[in-house]
Amino acid sequence: MQDSAKAVGALGRAAGLERAARLRSGWYARYLWVFAAGQLVLVPMAVLWRGPVSAVVFGATNALLVTGLSVYTVRQRVMRRGFGMKHGMMMASWTVVFALTITVGTAVFGHGAPFAAVGALACALPPAVGAWTEMRGAV
């Protein structure tokens, strides 16, 4: 009887930790919303601007975004189960969309503003969907 009580107690504590992790994982949704908003600035900058000054401004802006998000991430105490896989899939899908947007936007559409707007929305979509699903999973 005592062993089963210990097992029930351990399972209860594990369920409590999982529930707490889900409730406190809202930080990742905020992270993804900021990342999605950053795409609305960075993608048009990458597609429309030309020259060395644009490369420096794009690099500095991107570095600020990544540094800020990285500092925010390491300060978080809770990561729920499956976080690594979810983040990896979101980043992989964003990488594919971003690479296609920059390649096609500069080679085929010649730095066009309409394409930059559509590309920015397309690049913001993976993190926005990730944030939305994270918010739904935290409840």
Side-chain angles (χ1 to χ4, degrees):
M1 280 298 227
Q2 191 175 7
D3 289 339
S4 64
K6 285 183 182 180
V8 168
L11 287 174
R13 286 189 298 279
L17 286 171
E18 181 70 24
R19 188 171 34 261
R22 259 188 277 111
L23 291 173
R24 293 182 185 146
S25 68
W27 70 267
Y28 185 55
R30 290 186 295 277
Y31 168 98
L32 290 173
W33 284 123
V34 170
F35 188 72
Q39 299 313 296
L40 300 177
V41 174
L42 290 171
V43 172
M45 191 184 297
V47 172
L48 296 175
W49 289 9
R50 295 181 187 95
V53 172
S54 67
V56 170
V57 172
F58 175 79
T61 306
N62 202 15
L64 284 172
L65 177 65
V66 169
T67 301
L69 287 173
S70 297
V71 167
Y72 177 70
T73 299
V74 299
R75 295 181 50 95
Q76 304 309 311
R77 295 178 18 183
V78 175
M79 287 188 196
R80 64 180 184 79
R81 187 177 317 171
F83 171 79
M85 179 62 79
K86 179 174 183 165
H87 186 66
M89 293 301 292
M90 189 283 303
M91 289 305 291
S93 61
W94 169 80
T95 301
V96 169
V97 173
F98 183 77
L100 286 172
T101 298
I102 300 305
T103 304
V104 172
T106 55
V108 177
F109 290 96
H111 304 281
F115 183 80
V118 172
L121 292 174
C123 288
L125 190 61
V129 168
W132 183 74
T133 59
E134 188 67 23
M135 288 173 29
R136 290 195 55 185
V139 177

